[in-house]
Amino acid sequence: MRYKFATKAIHAGQHADPTTGAVMTPIYQTSTYRQAAPGDHQGFEYSRGTNPTRKALEDCLAALENGNHGLAFSSGMAATETVLKLLKPGDEVITGDDLYGGSYRMFTKVYAHYGIKFYFVDTSKPEQIEEKMTVNTRLIWIETPTNPTLKLADIAAIGKLAKRAGALLAVDNTFASPYLQNPLDLGADIVMHSVTKYIGGHSDVVMGALVMNDKGLYDKLFFYYNACGGTPGPQDSFLVLRGIKTLHLRMRAHCENGRKVAEYLKTHPRIEKIYWPGFEDHPGHGIAKQQMRDFGGMVSIVLKDASLTDTFKVASSFKVFTLAESLGGVESLINHPATMTHGSIPREIRERVGVVDNLIRISVGIEDIDDLLEDLAQALG
Ligand SMILES: *Cc1c(COP(=O)(O)O)cnc(C)c1O
């Protein structure tokens, strides 16, 4: 199906229900399926493995990432963990030094204990990845743009390195969403999403996903998926299918508002530093233009001469923006990474990559831009 993005967002994986003609994919709230004789079924046996509502969602996600196979998980972390299950003791992983805090925690506090070795490098410099490559490198795991300092990694260049090492390249595409970036087209083997964020888009579901092209890889991942059981339910699958229908419209609005917020904050006297890949002086601007369709709705700022207390005061004084974990929903959110999303990363490591006490991350929502700018003005004022 070679339809364009908006058409796929609304139709991919979905068909009118054969028994009733219902246009919307029903919520198949069932754990099991009748078999006419043992083994004689209609493709569905037990909902840990497959469920029709989830199947529609997985096919839609695969289409949006230009991939052949999709798998939906009960969370982004469950999706990430399933990729790590491909590894065995002695295997090595090269990954970013400013990862999502939960990914860092899983790598260092869970999987390192199973004899897997992790190297954390600045993935905006592919040569740092190359330096850590050995015969044991099995997986390169990157995020781009990164969270929260919005560094860019060159997916195509890193894909070539992965091929050379015989390793898989997995890209956490949560911040860009499939609307802005499609890593499989650039040489990645696996795309991971925290569907909780832009794809779900309404801050009402926690879910994750993997998309890939290779059937052998899909079969392996599906084996772990079904064996270990981090599967989402049909109700959540339905909500995400519904959310995806406006992904393209929401992303356009996030990008437009994100640009206006970034431009407003760039010259604000209380701002010491701003991270947004759309600025020409952002170090990753060139790569962003090359591999993304726009610059997204995430903006991070460092407050000038602000202590932790000052920063907390600013973070707590918004009226339209909500102080909360997470991102990518229709509503604008403010986050204090050092104590919230990245609290599980030791201080010296987090400060080295720019997650300082006076850093605030903004997920720009799709409210009226005038109200957002006015709220920023009063909170910073
Ligand atoms: C939120 C997030 C995750 C984890 O996803 P959950 O759905 O919360 O489990 C992973 N990576 C990034 C970049 C995220 O923002």
Side-chain angles (χ1 to χ4, degrees):
M1 191 167 79
R2 293 307 308 167
Y3 291 119
K4 293 196 173 157
F5 193 92
T7 313
K8 291 194 285 191
I10 292 167
H11 297 291
Q14 295 153 80
H15 316 278
D17 181 53
T19 53
T20 62
V23 168
M24 293 305 300
T25 303
I27 303 168
Y28 285 92
Q29 194 75 50
T30 186
S31 61
T32 191
Y33 307 83
R34 185 186 69 92
Q35 306 195 7
D40 179 5
H41 54 74
Q42 291 164 258
F44 299 96
E45 293 168 81
Y46 184 61
S47 284
R48 175 161 24 79
T50 44
N51 172 280
T53 316
R54 192 165 80 231
K55 177 77 168 62
L57 171 63
E58 291 174 335
D59 290 350
C60 184
L61 290 167
L64 295 182
E65 281 291 8
N66 300 329
N68 293 330
H69 308 281
L71 281 172
F73 292 83
S74 54
S75 69
M77 296 324 295
T80 302
E81 183 182 26
T82 303
V83 176
L84 295 185
K85 286 184 175 127
L86 298 169
L87 305 174
K88 56 184 192 325
D91 287 350
E92 296 180 6
V93 179
I94 306 171
T95 187
D97 60 8
D98 62 347
L99 283 182
Y100 172 68
S103 304
Y104 178 84
R105 179 174 57 193
M106 187 197 291
F107 294 175
T108 56
K109 299 242 169 88
V110 184
Y111 277 86
H113 297 172
Y114 291 99
I116 294 159
K117 188 159 187 186
F118 294 89
Y119 293 103
F120 298 92
V121 304
D122 180 349
T123 53
S124 69
K125 304 195 171 81
E127 62 278 12
Q128 289 199 8
I129 293 178
E130 206 171 353
E131 272 166 29
K132 296 294 182 199
M133 281 173 20
T134 74
V135 290
N136 296 320
T137 308
R138 290 287 172 275
L139 175 68
I140 300 176
W141 179 279
I142 61 169
E143 280 175 34
T144 180
T146 63
N147 175 15
T149 58
L150 304 167
K151 278 197 294 197
L152 273 285
D154 183 337
I155 299 171
I158 297 170
K160 288 198 187 102
L161 289 178
K163 291 263 156 359
R164 215 174 76 198
L168 293 171
L169 172 61
V171 179
D172 179 340
N173 203 27
T174 301
F175 264 42
S177 89
Y179 179 75
L180 294 180
Q181 176 171 280
N182 298 118
L184 297 179
D185 293 346
L186 300 164
D189 299 289
I190 302 172
V191 176
M192 174 267 171
H193 278 285
S194 170
V195 171
T196 314
K197 315 296 168 51
Y198 285 109
I199 293 180
H202 295 75
S203 306
D204 50 7
V205 175
V206 171
M207 194 187 285
L210 298 177
V211 179
M212 69 251 41
N213 273 320
D214 185 75
K215 173 75 164 72
L217 182 58
Y218 168 76
D219 289 342
K220 279 190 213 163
L221 290 165
F222 180 78
F223 172 81
Y224 291 115
Y225 177 84
N226 185 48
C228 300
T231 55
Q235 173 87 37
D236 283 355
S237 302
F238 173 85
L239 281 172
V240 172
L241 270 173
R242 185 190 221 271
I244 286 178
K245 288 181 193 294
T246 55
L247 180 59
H248 50 297
L249 299 177
R250 287 187 284 110
M251 289 312 297
R252 264 180 235 155
H254 282 296
C255 290
E256 196 182 308
N257 280 357
R259 170 184 298 277
K260 287 182 179 149
V261 163
E263 281 168 355
Y264 169 74
L265 292 173
K266 191 169 171 77
T267 53
H268 196 285
R270 288 207 61 190
I271 307 293
E272 177 185 310
K273 198 167 183 178
I274 179 160
Y275 301 99
W276 181 65
F279 290 130
E280 274 176 28
D281 59 2
H282 181 95
H285 181 68
I287 294 165
K289 278 216 300 208
Q290 190 180 301
Q291 67 189 21
M292 295 173 72
R293 296 179 193 98
D294 203 338
F295 303 109
M298 299 302 298
V299 180
S300 293
I301 50 173
V302 178
L303 299 178
K304 197 178 280 175
D305 303 322
S307 64
L308 186 63
T309 318
D310 299 335
T311 309
F312 273 15
K313 208 169 149 199
V314 171
S316 316
S317 58
F318 286 89
K319 296 191 167 83
V320 180
F321 289 79
T322 304
L323 179 65
E325 306 247 354
S326 202
L327 61 107
V330 289
E331 63 287 303
S332 293
L333 298 182
I334 290 284
N335 175 276
H336 184 249
T339 56
M340 294 168 69
T341 45
H342 292 62
S344 52
I345 303 179
R347 175 184 282 270
E348 69 280 6
I349 297 179
R350 121 170 106 62
E351 292 196 339
R352 206 186 315 139
V353 296
V355 184
V356 289
D357 282 350
N358 46 342
L359 177 84
I360 286 178
R361 187 187 77 185
I362 305 170
S363 172
V364 183
I366 63 172
E367 299 95 336
D368 191 286
I369 188 63
D370 294 342
D371 295 328
L372 295 183
L373 295 183
E374 200 178 304
D375 197 29
L376 282 164
Q378 70 76 23
L380 291 168

